[in-house]
């Protein structure tokens, strides 16, 4: 031990790393965030630039080119109506991200409201809200979504709403559990003792503390929502022809699986990449935000 | 005491707080009455679970409910019954006229809000200050609690401060609105001794400067001797002795209080060889609040207990001016 450490100076705050810097460093070193983030970023760019990137009109029929295999002209081949699958997959990205954002948005907002209400109010409010959520939780998500679409009528908008509603119980439960933990921490009691009324307690003190876990859950939930919407479209209850929705493309192409597998392979791959991207990103965010799961990057 | 003629700032009358537990209804506070004069420091002492914290939390109605419930009594502050206030009136009292310092400085600050945000909060909604004024006042408060470089601290977060510093921030927060009553629930328990010292000195200084009355909850009799004007000793949900601090230390009347004093380790009792004598201890345990004995709650542990003690609850009587105790044998004790 030749070198002597500088004497400890408790007033030297500059020596202490700022939390923001540390947060960024952890984020920058996290491979999951990089991989997932890049995948999602590429998808978002593709969705935004779809009209520019797509070489053909995704809905234009071409009777002469039915079921042609991938070629220089049609990178992903064409479907049973001669439509360019590459262009359809690219335009489908728009629909898929849109569906995901709306469905997760509905689920998260309604679920968080229920969870916060139940967790903060307690008593009979909590009992009524959470027993209602438990009741909905007993049904599989897709069954609730199916029922709602059957009731609302098949369309992509209704499918988004239905998927959103079907995941409300999930977000409500997660929010509720986080709120219970936070509201029993001493800082919450201290804020009450300072004289904060309930709106201030919820918005100012509670919300910032429950947002990080909700970001993780929403990112992971995004892929589930995309899958559910694709499933509804596959069943004919979501996007209607000729919309280039990936689930719908799978459904329409399944009769040709032996003769023209490319009709299914490419939209299927697109779904896989999207779901994977959000799952990896969600895992990464959780690693960064949750100190218990935090691990050193190898 | 001359203070008897002045109207007290806070008076608790026959407070009863119950908790619904797995084994039934338990009275954590069972008929507590006491008064706090302006500018006075009242220490409330007793062992863990005797109801001192519950009494303190009841004043600001911070008892978690359910399972807790204020089952009876009145808490009068400045002529108003705090237990009868509407929620908005209560919010206006909390942190403004009456504020509280908690035991856990490590976790009593919100981890995601900056110190400045939390400190200015009360000033903004109680005193209707603008953000700039509130920040100026906050810097002043931080300087008052001797935090170095207060301007820079405002932008920092709780985890960037040491324990003692966090407790000072809590004190600054509690005092920001110049409350008339400060409730300090074991404010120094979680801190090491040198920091304890500084925090206590600080409270004395602030009390003198701002004229705040303090309810100091502690189980540290050393702190009591130094800080308090008057002491209330609690046992099993009741006040069993209450006296001016000198009277209590010089001549404790209740056997429980005597036991507490005897259990204090004292340096002057070391033997000549430097060997420590064995600490005195009180035999037995506090009775379960689900199964209170019919007479005096301390009777099962009391070396002086008679058959009357086991059968009838003693009255809380004034034995000498300002010195009250609830003990049948108080007059006959050696």
């Amino acid at each position: 031990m030749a070198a002597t450490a500088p004497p400890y100076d408790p007033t030297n705050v500059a020596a202490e790393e700022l939390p923001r810097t540390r947060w960024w460093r952890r984020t920058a070193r996290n491979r999951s965030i990089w991989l997932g983030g890049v995948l999602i970023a590429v998808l978002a760019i593709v969705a935004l630039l779809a009209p520019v990137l797509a070489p053909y009109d995704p809905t234009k029929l071409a009777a002469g080119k039915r079921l042609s295999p991938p070629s220089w002209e049609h990178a992903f081949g064409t479907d049973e109506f001669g439509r360019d699958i590459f262009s359809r997959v690219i335009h489908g990205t728009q629909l898929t991200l849109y569906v995901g954002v709306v469905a997760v948005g509905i689920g998260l907002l309604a679920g968080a409201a229920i969870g916060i209400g139940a967790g903060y109010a307690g008593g009979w409010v909590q009992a009524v809200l959470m027993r209602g959520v438990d009741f909905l939780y007993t049904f599989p998500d897709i069954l609730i979504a199916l029922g709602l679409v059957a009731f609302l009528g098949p369309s992509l908008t209704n499918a988004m709403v239905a998927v959103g509603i079907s995941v409300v119980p999930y977000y409500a439960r997660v929010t509720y559990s986080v709120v219970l933990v936070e509201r029993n921490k001493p800082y919450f009691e201290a804020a009450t003792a300072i004289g904060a009324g309930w709106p201030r307690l919820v918005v100012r003190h509670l919300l910032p503390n429950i947002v990080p876990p909700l970001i993780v859950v929403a990112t992971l939930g995004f892929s589930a929502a995309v899958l559910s919407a694709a499933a509804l479209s596959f069943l004919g209850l979501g996007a209607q022809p000729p919309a280039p929705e990936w689930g719908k493309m799978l459904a329409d192409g399944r009769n040709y699986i032996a003769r023209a597998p490319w009709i299914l392979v490419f939209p299927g791959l697109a779904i896989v990449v999207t779901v994977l991207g959000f799952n990896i990103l969600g895992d990464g965010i959780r690693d960064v935000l949750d100190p218990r799961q935090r691990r050193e990057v190898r | 005491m001359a203070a008897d003629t002045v109207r007290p700032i806070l008076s608790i009358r026959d407070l009863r707080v119950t908790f619904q537990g797995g084994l039934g209804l338990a009275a954590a506070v069972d008929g507590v009455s006491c008064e706090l004069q302006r500018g006075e420091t009242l220490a409330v002492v007793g062992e863990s679970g005797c109801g001192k914290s519950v009494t303190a939390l009841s004043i600001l109605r911070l008892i978690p409910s359910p399972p807790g419930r204020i089952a009876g009594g009145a808490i009068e502050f400045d002529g108003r019954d705090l237990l009868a206030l509407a929620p908005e009136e209560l919010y206006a009292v909390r942190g403004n006229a009456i504020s509280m310092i908690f035991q856990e400085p490590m976790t009593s600050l919100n981890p995601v809000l900056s110190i400045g945000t939390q400190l200015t909060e009360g000033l903004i909604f109680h005193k209707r200050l603008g953000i700039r004024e509130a920040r100026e006042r906050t810097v002043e408060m931080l300087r008052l609690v001797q935090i170095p470089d207060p301007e820079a601290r405002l932008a920092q977060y709780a985890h960037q401060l040491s324990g003692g510093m966090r407790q000072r921030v809590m004190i600054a927060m509690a005092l920001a609105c110049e409350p008339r009553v400060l409730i300090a629930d074991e404010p120094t328990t979680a801190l090491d001794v040198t920091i304890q010292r500084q925090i206590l000195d600080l409270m004395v200084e602030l009390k003198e400067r701002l004229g705040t009355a303090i309810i100091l909850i502690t189980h540290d009799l050393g702190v009591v001797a130094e800080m308090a004007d008057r002491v209330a000793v609690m046992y099993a949900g009741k006040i069993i002795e209450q006296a001016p601090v000198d009277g209590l230390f010089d001549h404790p009347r209740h056997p429980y209080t005597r036991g507490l004093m005897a259990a204090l380790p004292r340096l002057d009792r070391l033997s000549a060889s430097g060997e420590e004598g064995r600490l005195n201890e009180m035999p037995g345990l506090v009775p379960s609040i689900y199964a209170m004995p019919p007479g005096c709650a301390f009777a099962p542990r009391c070396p002086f207990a008679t058959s009357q003690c086991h059968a009838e609850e003693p009255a809380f009587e004034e034995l000498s001016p300002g010195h009250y105790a609830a003990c049948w044998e108080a007059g006959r004790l050696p």
Side-chain angles (χ1 to χ4, degrees):
Chain A
M1 294 263 284
T4 45
Y8 176 66
D9 177 8
T11 58
N12 184 3
V13 284
E16 215 176 331
E17 243 181 323
L18 286 168
R20 208 161 290 159
T21 333
R22 237 181 301 163
W23 189 87
W24 272 115
R25 192 163 301 169
R26 275 209 309 277
T27 306
R29 277 194 309 210
N30 187 299
R31 287 185 193 176
S32 299
I33 287 192
W34 274 108
L35 184 57
V38 166
L39 276 176
I40 304 305
V42 167
L43 284 171
I45 291 167
V46 168
L48 283 173
L49 299 180
V52 184
L53 292 176
Y56 298 94
D57 179 345
T59 55
K60 192 174 171 240
L61 310 182
K65 293 189 197 162
R66 296 177 67 237
L67 303 177
S68 42
S71 61
W72 283 114
E73 212 177 331
H74 298 285
F76 291 179
T78 61
D79 66 6
E80 72 275 25
F81 299 115
R83 294 177 294 201
D84 179 49
I85 292 179
F86 184 61
S87 302
R88 288 179 67 74
V89 168
I90 285 177
H91 277 272
T93 315
Q94 271 183 340
L95 286 180
T96 302
L97 293 186
Y98 180 46
V99 167
V101 168
V102 173
V104 169
I106 292 174
L108 189 60
L109 287 183
I114 293 173
I116 291 172
Y120 181 77
W124 65 268
V125 178
Q126 177 268 349
V128 169
L129 286 176
M130 292 321 286
R131 291 304 78 75
V133 164
D134 286 345
F135 175 74
L136 287 177
Y137 217 58
T138 57
F139 298 102
D141 292 356
I142 194 74
L143 195 65
I144 298 177
L146 267 178
L148 283 168
V149 173
F151 177 73
L152 296 167
S155 81
L156 190 62
T157 314
N158 289 346
M160 291 188 295
V161 173
V163 171
I165 293 174
S166 74
V167 293
V168 167
Y170 172 64
Y171 293 103
R173 291 263 293 241
V174 174
T175 312
Y176 174 64
S177 68
V178 183
V179 169
L180 274 195
V181 171
E182 293 299 326
R183 77 156 299 172
N184 286 313
K185 287 192 178 165
Y187 77 79
F188 197 83
E189 190 180 36
T192 314
I194 282 291
W198 72 265
R200 179 172 283 272
L201 281 174
V202 169
V203 175
R204 198 84 194 237
H205 292 272
L206 202 55
L207 267 186
N209 279 293
I210 65 170
V211 162
L214 291 186
I215 291 177
V216 176
V217 177
T219 316
L220 295 172
F222 199 96
S223 51
V226 166
L227 277 182
S228 294
L232 284 181
S233 295
F234 183 85
L235 295 171
L237 296 167
Q240 297 301 307
E245 207 279 334
W246 296 339
K248 183 71 184 154
M249 288 165 76
L250 286 181
D252 294 342
R254 70 188 186 282
N255 292 332
Y256 304 95
I257 190 160
R259 268 170 63 199
W262 55 87
I263 300 186
L264 289 96
V265 167
F266 293 108
L269 272 177
I271 294 177
V272 170
V273 169
T274 312
V275 169
L276 210 60
F278 276 102
N279 277 340
I280 294 173
L281 180 65
D283 278 346
I285 299 177
R286 189 195 54 214
D287 288 349
V288 170
L289 293 180
D290 185 351
R292 281 158 305 183
Q293 303 249 347
R294 205 170 283 159
R295 48 182 182 209
E296 285 307 305
V297 179
R298 285 138 294 179
Chain B
M1 259 210 288
D4 284 324
T5 53
V6 185
R7 207 172 65 166
I9 182 129
L10 187 77
S11 89
I12 301 175
R13 280 198 307 275
D14 203 25
L15 180 72
R16 259 179 66 80
V17 183
T18 58
F19 280 84
Q20 184 67 54
L23 297 170
L25 198 66
V29 172
D30 192 5
V32 161
S33 299
C34 72
E35 289 181 346
L36 183 70
Q37 306 295 338
R38 278 162 217 275
E40 178 188 43
T41 299
L42 172 71
V44 181
V45 298
E47 58 200 287
S48 305
C50 69
K52 50 193 199 299
S53 287
V54 174
T55 306
L57 289 172
S58 303
I59 297 171
L60 284 178
R61 282 167 56 187
L62 290 170
I63 299 291
S65 160
R69 198 170 80 85
I70 297 176
I75 298 175
E76 214 164 82
F77 170 72
D78 211 14
R80 286 194 296 172
D81 185 2
L82 293 177
L83 300 183
L85 292 185
E88 278 70 27
E89 295 174 299
L90 185 64
Y91 298 153
V93 171
R94 284 177 179 165
N96 189 13
I98 305 180
S99 61
M100 188 148 182
I101 304 173
F102 292 89
Q103 188 175 349
E104 293 290 337
M106 299 302 173
T107 47
S108 291
L109 288 166
N110 193 326
V112 301
L113 298 181
S114 70
I115 302 301
T117 307
Q118 294 184 68
L119 275 164
T120 49
E121 198 173 28
L123 288 167
I124 291 169
F125 64 72
H126 286 309
K127 302 295 186 203
R128 307 251 166 256
L129 294 188
I131 289 181
R132 185 185 288 267
E133 294 160 278
R135 286 181 79 89
E136 277 166 19
R137 174 103 182 91
T138 300
V139 167
E140 221 173 280
M141 291 308 299
L142 287 179
R143 201 162 279 143
L144 199 64
V145 297
Q146 291 155 25
I147 284 188
D149 199 8
E151 286 89 354
R153 300 289 169 188
L154 292 185
Q156 294 194 329
Y157 291 83
H159 72 271
Q160 291 168 288
L161 305 181
S162 67
M165 218 136 31
R166 275 181 241 183
Q167 192 62 310
R168 285 161 199 234
V169 169
M170 292 301 297
I171 292 176
M173 202 186 287
L175 294 173
C177 294
E178 303 191 345
R180 279 181 288 167
V181 176
L182 175 68
I183 304 166
D185 188 356
E186 310 210 10
T188 57
T189 307
L191 305 173
D192 64 61
V193 186
T194 47
I195 309 292
Q196 271 190 26
R197 172 87 263 161
Q198 296 171 15
I199 297 283
L200 293 176
D201 288 348
L202 185 67
M203 284 175 63
V204 172
E205 195 190 321
L206 294 173
K207 176 188 144 179
E208 277 160 13
R209 199 184 297 198
L210 303 172
T212 306
I214 299 177
I215 297 182
L216 178 70
I217 294 167
T218 182
H219 51 240
D220 186 339
L221 289 173
V223 171
V224 173
E226 221 164 297
M227 297 277 296
D229 299 314
R230 230 149 36 89
V231 187
V233 183
M234 283 189 76
Y235 186 78
K238 290 188 170 74
I239 293 180
I240 49 123
E241 182 160 5
Q242 187 176 314
V245 66
D246 296 338
L248 190 91
F249 277 88
D250 292 347
H251 192 32
R253 305 300 293 263
H254 197 286
Y256 176 67
T257 314
R258 292 180 171 209
L260 279 185
M261 306 262 180
L264 272 182
R266 286 179 50 177
L267 289 172
D268 56 353
R269 286 211 196 119
L270 289 179
S271 63
S273 61
E275 239 172 68
E276 260 179 85
R278 197 174 145 73
L279 282 178
N280 284 308
E281 58 191 290
M282 241 183 277
L285 291 170
V286 187
S288 159
I289 49 178
Y290 295 108
M292 278 294 170
C296 171
F298 187 61
R301 299 171 74 179
C302 182
F304 309 104
T306 62
S307 57
Q308 187 189 22
C309 297
H310 287 285
E312 283 174 69
E313 212 183 305
F316 193 59
E317 286 174 330
E318 187 163 16
L319 302 170
S320 56
H323 197 144
Y324 300 79
C327 180
W328 291 120
E329 298 295 310
R332 285 190 283 273
L333 291 183

